[in-house]
Amino acid sequence: MCGIIGYIGSQPARQIIINGLKRLEYRGYDSAGMALVGEETRVFKCAGRVKDLEEIVNASGFNSSVGMGHTRWATHGEPNELNAHPQVSYKGNFIVVHNGIIENYLRLKKHLESRGIVFTSQTDTEVLANLIEHLYLEGDLNAEQAISLALNRVEGAYGLVIIRTKEADKLFAAKKGSPLVIGVGEGENFIASDATPIVEYTQRVIYLNDDDLAIIKKDELILKTIRTKNIEPEVKKIDLKIGEIDKEGFAHFMLKEIFEQPRAIHDTFRGRVLPDYSGVMLGGLHNIIDSVAQAERIIIVACGTSWHAGLLGEYLFEEYTRIPVEVEYASEFRYRGPIIKQGDIVIAISQSGETADTLAAIKIAREKGARVIGVCNVVGSSIPRETDAGVYTHAGPEIGVASTKAFTTQVTVLAMMAFSIGHLKGVISDTLYKELITELVSIPGKIEKTLAVNDKALELAKVFQNTHNALYLGRGYLFPVALEGALKLKEISYIHAEGYPAAEMKHGPIALIDENMPVVVVATKDDTYEKIVSNIQEIKARKGNVIAIVTEGDEIIKKMADYVLEVPETIPALSGLLAVIPLQLLSYHMAVLRGCNVDQPRNLAKSVTVE
Ligand code: G6P
């Protein structure tokens, strides 16, 4: 979950690394560090953000044309200067930045300590740096041999950049489980956790695979495995524009990404919906779609917001394909010996395509004979490369840690899948299929209209900004939306919030309701509308403060609720795509008013590459 960047070339590396770390900060931001290597080697580290590091390195005035940086999300050892990366080996020959976890680090550390090596940090990364140094010195090996040997001894996950200080004409990079991508330039090369810091310099990239070891010079790239087998590098062109990773005038990435949703959803179905709306073509599924239509069961695995999209997917698939669906937290699925039958289809949903638990769940599912479909946003990430088939959401880079457009584009993909599979199975008629697609295509325009609630969401946020708790209720398709609304509030404003199926309120949460409890009821018109109206009455009878998300023109709930936020009318299956927008905006404004760091909430990271 940390961010890594390395540079080798002829330009001054300092600002390239700082700028790169700023782009990667969404991956972790509790401490940061940098090494600049040339005739002299300088390492700078601090607890805190990249901007703090920037002040320190700029004040030093030091620069060179080779270096690497790291922004950290702590796993081993508290986020202080000592534990920040780069970690330097005991004799100072090797400098290492690392994303991931070395699982056998304690055993290795004990062994190295028994050889008299003294450690200065609590990190697993220092163990790796010292192991490399130890093998290098004791085994009379060159740097590449020592690194290969060390990597063959470690268990766990890593994305690594390593420099031997006296060989500043090359960077070593290695990957297992944690992503790394090389940016191929002219007379200069880059290495980073993802392509966002690279795109302003080059569009040509090489995604490293597990067990790859790259030796990166300014005008040469050598790719091997850690077992020293040479590999032919596959250079790909990335389609990522620099504007996509700027705030473009918005105060925060999260707000920009909320407002981008009409465009993002349009990009999700662009080129996939047939011009006359008679069908959708999901190219990435062509080799598997018949098997999905015949499947007796679909299992959806995901984490966080993606799990909420998966839950909505369950409702969509069961309604439109009549295939039973189970939705699992990837972290639970992977450890409980899941029962997978031949012919089962697993759908893994992940914005980043790197979530460790989701990746592990995929591996288990495939080992047990399931075929796995990935629904991911980041092109070229690990999950799409581990799956049998897949559909990209094409939401564009999502930088705000709280997921917004990832959710709505995932739901869009799941809707397209459910409709097309339902049609293939004959569960839905040609006419209904066309109606569903026509409605889906109208969603970006309806979100555009929904975004007009922004001012009202701000007013409401002012009313509720000091609350300590909130309850979010919804039924059917709107239950996952209630969960997602509560998660958004928790993540960025640190207010305790719970999402619940509205009818379950009577079985516990109703005891929490009094005049201090804001209850957000997602109550747009669908088959359970009358039931949720009764739920609102139950809350009002207990003096709860009701904020209702309603369909435009709903006069009934308007009379009962304390506040309403309106969204345009759509079919129940797609109602979540609209109803979630006011919830995202409400959380956003609450967090801003409370002075929270919206894009980088405490303790969280965008991409969770540790278990
Ligand atoms: C982290 C992020 C969430 C995200 C979850 C799953 O917790 O902060 O926003 O929903 O990981 O990530 P994924 O990339 O697999 O969707």
Side-chain angles (χ1 to χ4, degrees):
M1 0 223 307
C2 310
I4 290 177
I5 166 119
Y7 173 79
I8 186 160
S10 309
Q11 301 187 57
R14 190 172 79 202
Q15 206 54 41
I16 295 174
I17 293 169
I18 288 290
N19 292 348
L21 288 180
K22 285 183 179 165
R23 292 212 194 287
L24 291 169
E25 221 176 357
Y26 72 91
R27 304 177 68 89
Y29 36 79
D30 58 36
S31 46
M34 173 196 284
L36 292 168
V37 187
E39 283 179 12
E40 198 190 328
T41 296
R42 296 281 286 273
V43 174
F44 307 89
K45 304 203 281 187
C46 65
R49 306 275 163 139
V50 174
K51 65 174 173 29
D52 304 315
L53 177 71
E54 185 175 21
E55 279 174 24
I56 297 170
V57 280
N58 285 352
S60 79
F62 189 77
N63 218 330
S64 80
S65 53
V66 181
M68 61 190 187
H70 187 268
T71 176
R72 181 167 185 244
W73 187 89
T75 56
H76 293 70
E78 67 172 281
N80 57 24
E81 193 183 322
L82 269 185
N83 290 330
H85 298 206
Q87 289 290 319
V88 182
S89 61
Y90 58 101
K91 292 270 189 205
N93 280 312
F94 291 90
I95 310 177
V96 180
V97 291
H98 170 214
N99 171 26
I101 293 181
I102 306 300
E103 284 165 1
N104 58 340
Y105 85 107
L106 276 176
R107 198 156 20 95
L108 293 169
K109 188 172 184 176
K110 235 169 136 191
H111 168 71
L112 293 168
E113 280 173 334
S114 74
R115 309 295 294 264
I117 295 167
V118 177
F119 286 79
T120 54
S121 80
Q122 285 114 41
T123 63
D124 51 340
T125 308
E126 190 189 10
V127 176
L128 179 61
N130 283 346
L131 177 64
I132 295 169
E133 175 96 274
H134 175 68
L135 294 169
Y136 174 76
L137 294 175
E138 301 290 308
D140 197 20
L141 305 174
N142 65 31
E144 184 191 324
Q145 290 164 332
I147 291 167
S148 292
L149 196 56
L151 294 181
N152 278 292
R153 293 199 183 166
V154 300
E155 289 159 19
Y158 53 76
L160 291 165
V161 182
I162 304 167
I163 298 178
R164 186 171 101 77
T165 47
K166 299 212 172 54
E167 279 179 72
D169 64 330
K170 58 175 87 77
L171 307 171
F172 297 93
K175 173 197 183 292
K176 186 177 199 168
S178 300
L180 276 183
V181 51
I182 298 175
V184 184
E186 297 289 333
E188 61 182 0
N189 287 307
F190 305 79
I191 177 87
S193 300
D194 65 40
T196 52
I198 292 175
V199 280
E200 59 190 282
Y201 308 102
T202 176
Q203 299 272 312
R204 299 170 68 225
V205 296
I206 300 167
Y207 293 102
L208 294 191
N209 289 312
D210 279 356
D211 292 330
D212 281 358
L213 173 65
I215 299 146
I216 306 167
K217 300 186 177 180
K218 70 181 196 181
D219 35 29
E220 191 187 3
L221 282 170
I222 302 163
L223 205 55
K224 301 183 167 187
T225 68
I226 57 167
R227 285 167 204 93
T228 69
K229 195 174 132 232
N230 284 332
I231 313 167
E232 196 53 45
E234 194 190 339
V235 181
K236 295 193 170 157
K237 194 162 177 306
I238 33 164
D239 188 19
L240 183 63
K241 289 172 199 72
I242 193 72
E244 291 176 339
I245 44 180
D246 279 341
K247 286 188 208 146
E248 292 176 337
F250 284 91
H252 297 95
F253 278 110
M254 182 181 179
L255 191 62
K256 176 197 167 210
E257 287 156 9
I258 293 173
F259 273 81
E260 254 176 11
Q261 288 174 105
R263 198 269 311 142
I265 292 179
H266 188 263
D267 284 351
T268 306
F269 62 65
R270 190 160 52 111
R272 289 165 167 168
V273 168
L274 299 182
D276 62 356
Y277 300 169
S278 61
V280 288
M281 296 287 291
L282 297 169
L285 298 186
H286 78 273
N287 64 344
I288 204 171
I289 197 143
D290 291 329
S291 314
V292 184
Q294 283 155 24
E296 285 178 16
R297 186 171 68 143
I298 293 173
I299 303 166
I300 297 178
V301 292
C303 305
T305 288
S306 299
W307 186 88
H308 294 154
L311 195 58
L312 223 153
E314 175 182 16
Y315 288 69
L316 281 162
F317 272 87
E318 293 202 339
E319 175 166 2
Y320 291 105
T321 71
R322 306 306 295 154
I323 302 170
V325 178
E326 287 164 31
V327 189
E328 299 256 12
Y329 289 109
S331 53
E332 290 297 313
F333 176 85
R334 61 182 288 199
Y335 287 117
R336 61 171 182 75
I339 299 164
I340 310 263
K341 289 186 259 143
Q342 209 64 36
D344 281 349
I345 296 288
V346 170
I347 301 176
I349 308 174
S350 172
Q351 187 286 128
S352 62
E354 300 293 348
T355 302
D357 283 320
T358 311
L359 257 172
I362 291 169
K363 285 185 185 148
I364 289 166
R366 290 185 82 192
E367 272 160 29
K368 289 176 179 269
R371 296 183 74 195
V372 181
I373 297 172
V375 175
C376 296
N377 187 34
V378 179
V379 176
S381 54
S382 301
I383 290 176
R385 290 187 283 144
E386 292 285 339
T387 42
D388 298 287
V391 185
Y392 281 117
T393 54
H394 295 313
E398 191 182 64
I399 309 289
V401 165
S403 204
T404 52
K405 61 176 179 169
F407 175 79
T408 45
T409 53
Q410 286 163 348
V411 173
T412 303
V413 165
L414 294 167
M416 288 194 290
M417 285 172 70
F419 300 159
S420 60
I421 294 159
H423 182 253
L424 185 66
K425 287 190 72 171
V427 176
I428 56 178
S429 65
D430 291 350
T431 316
L432 177 57
Y433 192 28
K434 191 164 182 170
E435 281 168 14
L436 292 168
I437 294 168
T438 307
E439 189 55 34
L440 183 66
V441 171
S442 77
I443 291 293
K446 290 182 178 175
I447 294 184
E448 204 72 69
K449 280 181 81 183
T450 310
L451 287 165
V453 301
N454 190 31
D455 291 344
K456 208 164 172 197
L458 172 61
E459 289 314 308
L460 270 185
K462 286 181 186 159
V463 176
F464 290 104
Q465 62 174 300
N466 294 320
T467 189
H468 297 295
N469 298 290
L471 200 56
Y472 283 69
L473 303 176
R475 301 179 78 114
Y477 283 107
L478 300 170
F479 163 51
V481 176
L483 292 177
E484 177 58 11
L487 178 64
K488 286 294 86 93
L489 192 69
K490 273 185 275 212
E491 282 179 311
I492 57 170
S493 68
Y494 318 141
I495 295 169
H496 168 243
E498 276 190 61
Y500 243 80
E504 277 291 304
M505 177 181 69
K506 309 189 243 335
H507 302 289
I510 200 164
L512 298 168
I513 292 175
D514 61 15
E515 62 278 13
N516 298 317
M517 176 64 100
V519 186
V520 180
V521 188
V522 195
T524 54
K525 290 218 168 109
D526 64 12
D527 304 345
T528 55
Y529 174 75
E530 273 149 30
K531 311 268 176 218
I532 207 146
V533 169
S534 307
N535 297 137
I536 292 174
Q537 278 165 334
E538 289 156 12
I539 301 161
K540 284 314 301 170
R542 285 153 187 91
K543 300 194 170 57
N545 264 304
V546 173
I547 302 159
I549 312 301
V550 299
T551 306
E552 252 166 20
D554 182 330
E555 294 303 327
I556 300 172
I557 295 183
K558 221 178 249 177
K559 288 198 189 97
M560 286 176 213
D562 299 271
Y563 307 93
V564 293
L565 293 169
E566 290 181 306
V567 301
E569 191 167 356
T570 185
I571 55 171
L574 302 178
S575 55
L577 291 172
L578 304 184
V580 76
I581 307 289
L583 304 186
Q584 294 169 344
L585 287 167
L586 187 61
S587 323
Y588 170 77
H589 290 300
M590 299 267 265
V592 173
L593 290 169
R594 289 163 67 88
C596 301
N597 186 337
V598 173
D599 284 334
Q600 293 166 348
R602 69 183 181 206
N603 305 339
L604 297 178
K606 182 84 191 146
S607 172
V608 181
T609 53
V610 295
E611 295 183 21

